[in-house]
Amino acid sequence: MKNKKPATIVLLLAGGSGSRMNRGINKVLLPLAGKTVLQRSMEAFLPFADQMILVGRAGDASCFHDLLSRLSFPLPVQLTPGGLTRQESVAHGLLCIDEKPGDIVLVAGK
């Protein structure tokens, strides 16, 4: 029997409000050369990930769902609401992991 390689899980923190950018929208949803910042981040980690967990503000959930429905990723992407702080958001994302991963990659912009 073959041993299954432990999964590499990418935890994307996307709970910002974009207030420092004066745009009134979460900065990961802003366009950057034809794609959203979030899409570019997700694509950058595709070669390394077995699963992605997107942690974002509840108020942005419909935007995240719309974006994810238009994209086709060859791995599971789970959306979960973040917390009031970055630490709470990380904790919410970690609670979504249901198996012991090999590695967890934390992607947190500032």
Side-chain angles (χ1 to χ4, degrees), residues 57-71:
R57 294 184 313 162
D60 291 331
S62 64
C63 294
F64 292 138
H65 282 293
D66 288 346
L67 178 64
L68 293 174
S69 70
R70 287 184 275 125
L71 303 175

mmCIF file with all atom_site columns, all heavy atoms in Angstrom, residues 57-71:
data_model
loop_
_atom_site.group_PDB
_atom_site.id
_atom_site.type_symbol
_atom_site.label_atom_id
_atom_site.label_alt_id
_atom_site.label_comp_id
_atom_site.label_asym_id
_atom_site.label_entity_id
_atom_site.label_seq_id
_atom_site.pdbx_PDB_ins_code
_atom_site.Cartn_x
_atom_site.Cartn_y
_atom_site.Cartn_z
_atom_site.occupancy
_atom_site.B_iso_or_equiv
_atom_site.pdbx_formal_charge
_atom_site.auth_seq_id
_atom_site.auth_comp_id
_atom_site.auth_asym_id
_atom_site.auth_atom_id
_atom_site.pdbx_PDB_model_num
ATOM 1   N N   . ARG A 1 57 ? -13.589 38.567 5.172   1.00 0.00 ? 57 ARG A N   1
ATOM 2   C CA  . ARG A 1 57 ? -14.688 39.212 5.898   1.00 0.00 ? 57 ARG A CA  1
ATOM 3   C C   . ARG A 1 57 ? -16.021 38.676 5.394   1.00 0.00 ? 57 ARG A C   1
ATOM 4   O O   . ARG A 1 57 ? -16.200 38.442 4.191   1.00 0.00 ? 57 ARG A O   1
ATOM 5   C CB  . ARG A 1 57 ? -14.659 40.726 5.689   1.00 0.00 ? 57 ARG A CB  1
ATOM 6   C CG  . ARG A 1 57 ? -13.454 41.396 6.295   1.00 0.00 ? 57 ARG A CG  1
ATOM 7   C CD  . ARG A 1 57 ? -13.492 42.896 6.168   1.00 0.00 ? 57 ARG A CD  1
ATOM 8   N NE  . ARG A 1 57 ? -13.848 43.311 4.805   1.00 0.00 ? 57 ARG A NE  1
ATOM 9   C CZ  . ARG A 1 57 ? -14.277 44.514 4.485   1.00 0.00 ? 57 ARG A CZ  1
ATOM 10  N NH1 . ARG A 1 57 ? -14.419 45.436 5.386   1.00 0.00 ? 57 ARG A NH1 1
ATOM 11  N NH2 . ARG A 1 57 ? -14.561 44.803 3.234   1.00 0.00 ? 57 ARG A NH2 1
ATOM 12  N N   . ALA A 1 58 ? -16.940 38.500 6.321   1.00 0.00 ? 58 ALA A N   1
ATOM 13  C CA  . ALA A 1 58 ? -18.269 38.001 5.953   1.00 0.00 ? 58 ALA A CA  1
ATOM 14  C C   . ALA A 1 58 ? -18.928 38.915 4.921   1.00 0.00 ? 58 ALA A C   1
ATOM 15  O O   . ALA A 1 58 ? -19.626 38.447 4.023   1.00 0.00 ? 58 ALA A O   1
ATOM 16  C CB  . ALA A 1 58 ? -19.142 37.871 7.198   1.00 0.00 ? 58 ALA A CB  1
ATOM 17  N N   . GLY A 1 59 ? -18.677 40.206 5.016   1.00 0.00 ? 59 GLY A N   1
ATOM 18  C CA  . GLY A 1 59 ? -19.255 41.162 4.078   1.00 0.00 ? 59 GLY A CA  1
ATOM 19  C C   . GLY A 1 59 ? -18.749 41.017 2.653   1.00 0.00 ? 59 GLY A C   1
ATOM 20  O O   . GLY A 1 59 ? -19.367 41.512 1.716   1.00 0.00 ? 59 GLY A O   1
ATOM 21  N N   . ASP A 1 60 ? -17.631 40.346 2.479   1.00 0.00 ? 60 ASP A N   1
ATOM 22  C CA  . ASP A 1 60 ? -17.060 40.119 1.146   1.00 0.00 ? 60 ASP A CA  1
ATOM 23  C C   . ASP A 1 60 ? -17.379 38.734 0.598   1.00 0.00 ? 60 ASP A C   1
ATOM 24  O O   . ASP A 1 60 ? -16.938 38.383 -0.499  1.00 0.00 ? 60 ASP A O   1
ATOM 25  C CB  . ASP A 1 60 ? -15.534 40.295 1.177   1.00 0.00 ? 60 ASP A CB  1
ATOM 26  C CG  . ASP A 1 60 ? -15.102 41.728 1.407   1.00 0.00 ? 60 ASP A CG  1
ATOM 27  O OD1 . ASP A 1 60 ? -15.853 42.641 1.017   1.00 0.00 ? 60 ASP A OD1 1
ATOM 28  O OD2 . ASP A 1 60 ? -14.013 41.927 1.974   1.00 0.00 ? 60 ASP A OD2 1
ATOM 29  N N   . ALA A 1 61 ? -18.125 37.937 1.358   1.00 0.00 ? 61 ALA A N   1
ATOM 30  C CA  . ALA A 1 61 ? -18.369 36.537 0.967   1.00 0.00 ? 61 ALA A CA  1
ATOM 31  C C   . ALA A 1 61 ? -18.971 36.418 -0.428  1.00 0.00 ? 61 ALA A C   1
ATOM 32  O O   . ALA A 1 61 ? -18.550 35.566 -1.213  1.00 0.00 ? 61 ALA A O   1
ATOM 33  C CB  . ALA A 1 61 ? -19.260 35.844 1.999   1.00 0.00 ? 61 ALA A CB  1
ATOM 34  N N   . SER A 1 62 ? -19.931 37.266 -0.772  1.00 0.00 ? 62 SER A N   1
ATOM 35  C CA  . SER A 1 62 ? -20.551 37.144 -2.097  1.00 0.00 ? 62 SER A CA  1
ATOM 36  C C   . SER A 1 62 ? -19.548 37.468 -3.205  1.00 0.00 ? 62 SER A C   1
ATOM 37  O O   . SER A 1 62 ? -19.550 36.821 -4.261  1.00 0.00 ? 62 SER A O   1
ATOM 38  C CB  . SER A 1 62 ? -21.801 38.018 -2.211  1.00 0.00 ? 62 SER A CB  1
ATOM 39  O OG  . SER A 1 62 ? -21.465 39.382 -2.093  1.00 0.00 ? 62 SER A OG  1
ATOM 40  N N   . CYS A 1 63 ? -18.673 38.429 -2.968  1.00 0.00 ? 63 CYS A N   1
ATOM 41  C CA  . CYS A 1 63 ? -17.627 38.745 -3.966  1.00 0.00 ? 63 CYS A CA  1
ATOM 42  C C   . CYS A 1 63 ? -16.658 37.580 -4.128  1.00 0.00 ? 63 CYS A C   1
ATOM 43  O O   . CYS A 1 63 ? -16.260 37.241 -5.244  1.00 0.00 ? 63 CYS A O   1
ATOM 44  C CB  . CYS A 1 63 ? -16.856 39.996 -3.551  1.00 0.00 ? 63 CYS A CB  1
ATOM 45  S SG  . CYS A 1 63 ? -17.838 41.502 -3.553  1.00 0.00 ? 63 CYS A SG  1
ATOM 46  N N   . PHE A 1 64 ? -16.292 36.957 -2.998  1.00 0.00 ? 64 PHE A N   1
ATOM 47  C CA  . PHE A 1 64 ? -15.397 35.807 -3.062  1.00 0.00 ? 64 PHE A CA  1
ATOM 48  C C   . PHE A 1 64 ? -16.065 34.643 -3.790  1.00 0.00 ? 64 PHE A C   1
ATOM 49  O O   . PHE A 1 64 ? -15.457 33.992 -4.633  1.00 0.00 ? 64 PHE A O   1
ATOM 50  C CB  . PHE A 1 64 ? -14.954 35.358 -1.669  1.00 0.00 ? 64 PHE A CB  1
ATOM 51  C CG  . PHE A 1 64 ? -14.047 36.333 -0.963  1.00 0.00 ? 64 PHE A CG  1
ATOM 52  C CD1 . PHE A 1 64 ? -14.215 36.600 0.380   1.00 0.00 ? 64 PHE A CD1 1
ATOM 53  C CD2 . PHE A 1 64 ? -13.024 36.984 -1.632  1.00 0.00 ? 64 PHE A CD2 1
ATOM 54  C CE1 . PHE A 1 64 ? -13.375 37.478 1.046   1.00 0.00 ? 64 PHE A CE1 1
ATOM 55  C CE2 . PHE A 1 64 ? -12.181 37.873 -0.982  1.00 0.00 ? 64 PHE A CE2 1
ATOM 56  C CZ  . PHE A 1 64 ? -12.356 38.126 0.359   1.00 0.00 ? 64 PHE A CZ  1
ATOM 57  N N   . HIS A 1 65 ? -17.341 34.384 -3.470  1.00 0.00 ? 65 HIS A N   1
ATOM 58  C CA  . HIS A 1 65 ? -18.066 33.298 -4.145  1.00 0.00 ? 65 HIS A CA  1
ATOM 59  C C   . HIS A 1 65 ? -18.158 33.559 -5.639  1.00 0.00 ? 65 HIS A C   1
ATOM 60  O O   . HIS A 1 65 ? -17.964 32.642 -6.444  1.00 0.00 ? 65 HIS A O   1
ATOM 61  C CB  . HIS A 1 65 ? -19.471 33.131 -3.553  1.00 0.00 ? 65 HIS A CB  1
ATOM 62  C CG  . HIS A 1 65 ? -19.500 32.399 -2.255  1.00 0.00 ? 65 HIS A CG  1
ATOM 63  N ND1 . HIS A 1 65 ? -19.175 31.066 -2.129  1.00 0.00 ? 65 HIS A ND1 1
ATOM 64  C CD2 . HIS A 1 65 ? -19.813 32.822 -1.013  1.00 0.00 ? 65 HIS A CD2 1
ATOM 65  C CE1 . HIS A 1 65 ? -19.282 30.703 -0.870  1.00 0.00 ? 65 HIS A CE1 1
ATOM 66  N NE2 . HIS A 1 65 ? -19.665 31.751 -0.163  1.00 0.00 ? 65 HIS A NE2 1
ATOM 67  N N   . ASP A 1 66 ? -18.464 34.802 -6.022  1.00 0.00 ? 66 ASP A N   1
ATOM 68  C CA  . ASP A 1 66 ? -18.536 35.153 -7.452  1.00 0.00 ? 66 ASP A CA  1
ATOM 69  C C   . ASP A 1 66 ? -17.199 34.898 -8.143  1.00 0.00 ? 66 ASP A C   1
ATOM 70  O O   . ASP A 1 66 ? -17.146 34.302 -9.219  1.00 0.00 ? 66 ASP A O   1
ATOM 71  C CB  . ASP A 1 66 ? -18.940 36.615 -7.637  1.00 0.00 ? 66 ASP A CB  1
ATOM 72  C CG  . ASP A 1 66 ? -20.382 36.876 -7.300  1.00 0.00 ? 66 ASP A CG  1
ATOM 73  O OD1 . ASP A 1 66 ? -21.168 35.909 -7.171  1.00 0.00 ? 66 ASP A OD1 1
ATOM 74  O OD2 . ASP A 1 66 ? -20.743 38.064 -7.149  1.00 0.00 ? 66 ASP A OD2 1
ATOM 75  N N   . LEU A 1 67 ? -16.121 35.356 -7.507  1.00 0.00 ? 67 LEU A N   1
ATOM 76  C CA  . LEU A 1 67 ? -14.799 35.173 -8.098  1.00 0.00 ? 67 LEU A CA  1
ATOM 77  C C   . LEU A 1 67 ? -14.459 33.693 -8.228  1.00 0.00 ? 67 LEU A C   1
ATOM 78  O O   . LEU A 1 67 ? -14.027 33.232 -9.289  1.00 0.00 ? 67 LEU A O   1
ATOM 79  C CB  . LEU A 1 67 ? -13.744 35.884 -7.250  1.00 0.00 ? 67 LEU A CB  1
ATOM 80  C CG  . LEU A 1 67 ? -12.299 35.725 -7.728  1.00 0.00 ? 67 LEU A CG  1
ATOM 81  C CD1 . LEU A 1 67 ? -12.093 36.370 -9.090  1.00 0.00 ? 67 LEU A CD1 1
ATOM 82  C CD2 . LEU A 1 67 ? -11.339 36.302 -6.713  1.00 0.00 ? 67 LEU A CD2 1
ATOM 83  N N   . LEU A 1 68 ? -14.674 32.939 -7.157  1.00 0.00 ? 68 LEU A N   1
ATOM 84  C CA  . LEU A 1 68 ? -14.331 31.513 -7.189  1.00 0.00 ? 68 LEU A CA  1
ATOM 85  C C   . LEU A 1 68 ? -15.177 30.740 -8.190  1.00 0.00 ? 68 LEU A C   1
ATOM 86  O O   . LEU A 1 68 ? -14.700 29.777 -8.795  1.00 0.00 ? 68 LEU A O   1
ATOM 87  C CB  . LEU A 1 68 ? -14.459 30.909 -5.790  1.00 0.00 ? 68 LEU A CB  1
ATOM 88  C CG  . LEU A 1 68 ? -13.440 31.418 -4.768  1.00 0.00 ? 68 LEU A CG  1
ATOM 89  C CD1 . LEU A 1 68 ? -13.748 30.865 -3.382  1.00 0.00 ? 68 LEU A CD1 1
ATOM 90  C CD2 . LEU A 1 68 ? -12.022 31.083 -5.188  1.00 0.00 ? 68 LEU A CD2 1
ATOM 91  N N   . SER A 1 69 ? -16.427 31.166 -8.397  1.00 0.00 ? 69 SER A N   1
ATOM 92  C CA  . SER A 1 69 ? -17.286 30.461 -9.357  1.00 0.00 ? 69 SER A CA  1
ATOM 93  C C   . SER A 1 69 ? -16.818 30.691 -10.799 1.00 0.00 ? 69 SER A C   1
ATOM 94  O O   . SER A 1 69 ? -17.079 29.871 -11.666 1.00 0.00 ? 69 SER A O   1
ATOM 95  C CB  . SER A 1 69 ? -18.743 30.887 -9.194  1.00 0.00 ? 69 SER A CB  1
ATOM 96  O OG  . SER A 1 69 ? -18.926 32.209 -9.638  1.00 0.00 ? 69 SER A OG  1
ATOM 97  N N   . ARG A 1 70 ? -16.123 31.791 -11.048 1.00 0.00 ? 70 ARG A N   1
ATOM 98  C CA  . ARG A 1 70 ? -15.627 32.085 -12.395 1.00 0.00 ? 70 ARG A CA  1
ATOM 99  C C   . ARG A 1 70 ? -14.269 31.452 -12.678 1.00 0.00 ? 70 ARG A C   1
ATOM 100 O O   . ARG A 1 70 ? -13.848 31.357 -13.823 1.00 0.00 ? 70 ARG A O   1
ATOM 101 C CB  . ARG A 1 70 ? -15.523 33.597 -12.604 1.00 0.00 ? 70 ARG A CB  1
ATOM 102 C CG  . ARG A 1 70 ? -16.879 34.269 -12.750 1.00 0.00 ? 70 ARG A CG  1
ATOM 103 C CD  . ARG A 1 70 ? -16.746 35.748 -13.047 1.00 0.00 ? 70 ARG A CD  1
ATOM 104 N NE  . ARG A 1 70 ? -16.604 36.475 -11.780 1.00 0.00 ? 70 ARG A NE  1
ATOM 105 C CZ  . ARG A 1 70 ? -15.616 37.306 -11.484 1.00 0.00 ? 70 ARG A CZ  1
ATOM 106 N NH1 . ARG A 1 70 ? -14.666 37.543 -12.347 1.00 0.00 ? 70 ARG A NH1 1
ATOM 107 N NH2 . ARG A 1 70 ? -15.563 37.909 -10.318 1.00 0.00 ? 70 ARG A NH2 1
ATOM 108 N N   . LEU A 1 71 ? -13.578 31.049 -11.626 1.00 0.00 ? 71 LEU A N   1
ATOM 109 C CA  . LEU A 1 71 ? -12.246 30.479 -11.784 1.00 0.00 ? 71 LEU A CA  1
ATOM 110 C C   . LEU A 1 71 ? -12.317 28.964 -11.687 1.00 0.00 ? 71 LEU A C   1
ATOM 111 O O   . LEU A 1 71 ? -13.208 28.416 -11.076 1.00 0.00 ? 71 LEU A O   1
ATOM 112 C CB  . LEU A 1 71 ? -11.316 31.016 -10.686 1.00 0.00 ? 71 LEU A CB  1
ATOM 113 C CG  . LEU A 1 71 ? -11.192 32.532 -10.607 1.00 0.00 ? 71 LEU A CG  1
ATOM 114 C CD1 . LEU A 1 71 ? -10.346 32.915 -9.407  1.00 0.00 ? 71 LEU A CD1 1
ATOM 115 C CD2 . LEU A 1 71 ? -10.601 33.096 -11.882 1.00 0.00 ? 71 LEU A CD2 1
#
